[in-house]
Amino acid sequence: MTNENGKGTATDFDVVVVGAGFAGLVMLYRLRQIGVTARAYETGNGVGGTWFWNRYPGARCDVESMEYSYQFSPELQQEWNWTERYSAQPEILRYINHVADRFDLRRDIQLSTRVTTATYDEGNALWTVETDRGDRVTARFLVMATGCLSAANTPNFPGRDSFAGRSLHTGAWPQEGVDFTGKRVGIIGTGSSGIQSIPVIADECAHLTVFQRTPNFSVPAGNRPLTVAERDRVKAVYPEFRAANSLTPFGVNFDSTGISALAVSDDARVNEYEERWEKGGLRFLGAFVDLMFDRDANATAAEFVRDKIRSIVKDPEVAAMLTPKDVIGCKRLCSDTGYFEAFNRPNVKLVDVAADPIVEITKDGLRTQTRAFEFDTLVYATGFDAMTGALTRIDIRGKGGAKLADAWSAGPRTYLGVATVGFPNLFLVTGPGSPSVLSNMVPSVEQHAQWISSCIRDLRDRGTRSIEAQPDAQDSWVGHVNEVAGTTLYPQCNSWYLGSNVPGKPRVFMPYLGYATYVEKCNEVAANGYEGFTLG
Ligand code: NAP
């Protein structure tokens, strides 16, 4: 038991952290640095979060390995050797496990434990946290390191449980792996997870039927082994490399040309796209600065990719079905290894379920309005209740017993994406209203862990028991997030950024675009004595 600040109510821990993925681990590391006690609860039977659960075939990061890694320890940064330009899931999971061991973080983590409720006691300024394993502990602060894409979305099709074969979700893949040899497989969904897994499953199984509701833009990943020279080049200037990336809007090196797509000749523009297509990766969107702001500029990139799809896919009817109509990058751009090529295989069939919707799952497979399909295995690559799902699925009660899910029933409202009115001493790591999914997640979780731990240290040093976002500050932040989103093309399609992939979820643009601006704002708020927060 601890007794914080030498005064106040005794608590089991100073801080409870929910989740032990990238965010939870660095949070624990930072909390230990400031000398407070912490316990992390993690649902999985291992650390790793996203990279623990998403073990589907072909799972790979689409941010380059040298950037998708921690920077809190210069030694770790120098020691670890990534083997590929884009790391595959097993390598990232090995890295996270290495970090947990190297910094002795496991002693503060309780695995295989799901937090079920968290209740704030206003009088004593403390949280009581309960788990599905019967734990009931108190802490001054509660930090939700629950991930932005961790609450699986499995559409509630009629008959969903009647399927006699095996049902799988890409975001909750069995640890022992899945053998598709000789199997007839159906897969629903063509987002990043579907696009990565389809070519690999197709290669293994007897037959694959892909159920596509919306065609997606994807660029070749251009993955390849990293050479020692490439790694050494970055390692020699790692701090400068990180600092330069942190000044960009997405906090990631998109190698932007800094010019408008409409300011160059048609030939120059196509050459730029061609070069980026050849090199591979999401830097494709760095070709021109206005791609996510100007419809005409965006249309040039979209048309380039449409032409590529038509040139890769041999059957013109299938190519037409795979060709997206909307804005490129509006739904998160995918990067793939042989996705469009997979549709040239004789064992892959594409079904357009926008034209012929799925009406039910059956014992043998599924039925659309006009046809029946049979398979042995059904894969849901149907994404996540993004950004809010992992939070609202826990019964979190703030002041006066108010439930977070109710407070956010019209969409999430936060101050800086790190705190929300009515829930004192609750911190969200990369919550809605922070750059989170519109940035490189690892630096973003590190920035939050650093900010939150400094805040807890400052409160302790001043003998302050509680911190709560002020309604005015929250309103103006939410307004600002929306205003920025309104200047972009992001709100113009149905994406999980807007919650529109989950039936009934309010349509609100959740992430904040502008990593560098955001970091500056967070630092300013702290420097001004936590401006916009009430300290008690
Ligand atoms: P997603 O992008 O939300 O894609 C889900 C897919 O399922 C969409 O094609 C969606 O169609 C479809 N779908 C959902 N409900 C459906 C229904 N009722 N009927 C038919 N189709 C349905 O999910 P995700 O692919 O798991 O990716 C989520 C995010 O995770 C990505 O955007 C990315 O940020 C991250 N991720 C990253 C990587 C990487 O680093 N390479 C890999 C995987 C995931 P609609 O488009 O019509 O809604």
Side-chain angles (χ1 to χ4, degrees), residues 191-372:
S192 298
S193 306
I195 280 178
Q196 286 189 330
S197 54
I198 284 164
V200 187
I201 297 175
D203 213 23
E204 225 180 87
C205 71
H207 191 272
L208 178 65
T209 311
V210 178
F211 297 93
Q212 170 192 274
R213 188 165 67 181
T214 313
N216 231 323
F217 286 100
S218 183
V219 296
N223 185 44
R224 54 178 171 72
L226 264 184
T227 65
V228 175
E230 278 176 306
R231 282 199 308 250
D232 286 351
R233 252 200 312 277
V234 174
K235 285 186 181 185
V237 291
Y238 235 142
E240 295 82 358
F241 174 81
R242 300 285 197 181
N245 296 346
S246 75
L247 294 176
T248 65
F250 296 95
V252 74
N253 180 8
F254 270 3
D255 199 14
S256 174
T257 56
I259 53 172
S260 161
L262 307 175
V264 296
S265 69
D266 291 355
D267 282 354
R269 191 185 311 117
V270 168
N271 284 345
E272 186 65 39
Y273 291 143
E274 196 66 64
E275 217 171 274
R276 284 172 190 258
W277 181 271
E278 279 310 308
K279 283 188 186 154
L282 302 185
R283 283 184 194 182
F284 183 82
L285 283 181
F288 300 103
V289 281
D290 46 359
L291 293 184
M292 288 318 300
F293 295 91
D294 184 291
R295 250 188 183 274
D296 293 338
N298 187 283
T300 64
E303 202 44 38
F304 176 87
V305 177
R306 291 186 193 114
D307 281 344
K308 285 289 183 192
I309 297 170
R310 291 189 277 258
S311 75
I312 297 169
V313 180
K314 296 194 176 120
D315 179 332
E317 258 178 55
V318 177
M321 277 161 70
L322 286 168
T323 303
K325 288 171 191 57
D326 46 16
V327 165
I328 185 171
C330 183
K331 278 180 192 285
R332 193 171 187 280
L333 182 61
C334 302
S335 78
D336 70 276
T337 305
Y339 174 64
F340 294 112
E341 290 82 349
F343 292 90
N344 293 331
R345 300 176 62 113
N347 70 333
V348 176
K349 177 156 189 58
L350 181 65
V351 177
D352 177 355
V353 293
D356 186 12
I358 297 170
V359 290
E360 64 169 345
I361 305 295
T362 63
K363 181 167 86 50
D364 300 318
L366 66 75
R367 222 165 46 73
T368 62
Q369 256 169 14
T370 66
R371 300 165 65 193

Side-chain angles (χ1 to χ4, degrees), residues 502-523:
V502 175
K505 195 167 171 175
R507 192 181 168 91
V508 173
F509 192 77
M510 294 182 283
Y512 175 67
L513 177 65
Y515 181 73
T517 324
Y518 175 80
V519 173
E520 215 172 282
K521 170 77 178 168
C522 289
N523 293 342

